[in-house]
Amino acid sequence: MTDASGAPRQRPLSPHLQVWRWHITMFTSIAHRATGVALYVGALILAGWCVALASGPDAYLAYMTILGSPLGKLVFFGLTISVFYHLANGVRHLMWDAGAGLDIKSANFTAVSAIAFAIAATVAVWGIAAMTGALS
């Protein structure tokens, strides 16, 4: 039978971030989704670069000036770490799909490893770029 009083009923609340204790695998799951979104933004930047290239030297120079600005370099740094993190975490997910590394200790270790790889690879790429003069 329905409640005929018309008063709103109390409904249960779904668990959210204030209920769950933060842990490394929770962070990596959220970061994987966020880096996936960042990679879509990177694809749009690449498409813009292609359009600028096809539009002629003036449009290309203007676009490259934007990309070479400090803000553009910051965006590229973020995209670099996104690529490496998404790659490492994707490999981690492939291991899980094969049934390996599903215990808590292994999941935590691979989470830290994915983050460490992304940071180390990003620093290495940007270090090489700085040494070769690609950032100037």
Side-chain angles (χ1 to χ4, degrees):
M1 198 175 238
T2 63
D3 183 12
S5 68
R9 294 186 305 165
Q10 291 290 347
R11 297 190 181 268
L13 297 175
S14 297
H16 47 36
L17 295 179
Q18 294 173 343
V19 174
W20 295 103
R21 179 183 61 83
W22 275 87
H23 48 90
I24 190 74
T25 54
M26 175 189 270
F27 171 78
T28 56
S29 175
I30 294 167
H32 191 77
R33 291 180 179 104
T35 57
V37 171
L39 294 177
Y40 276 109
V41 172
L44 292 174
I45 292 170
L46 178 63
W49 179 81
C50 291
V51 169
L53 185 61
S55 297
D58 292 335
Y60 181 74
L61 180 63
Y63 199 76
M64 290 306 291
T65 301
I66 293 169
L67 294 182
S69 70
L71 181 60
K73 289 178 183 177
L74 181 65
V75 168
F76 274 124
F77 185 83
L79 285 172
T80 307
I81 202 162
S82 293
V83 165
F84 286 125
Y85 176 76
H86 208 78
L87 172 69
N89 207 45
V91 170
R92 184 172 167 245
H93 277 250
L94 283 174
M95 288 175 33
W96 286 354
D97 290 343
L102 294 173
D103 60 289
I104 293 172
K105 187 175 179 180
S106 296
N108 290 341
F109 175 76
T110 57
V112 171
S113 298
I115 294 167
F117 169 77
I119 293 169
T122 299
V123 168
V125 164
W126 279 77
I128 292 168
M131 287 187 292
T132 60
L135 296 180
S136 53

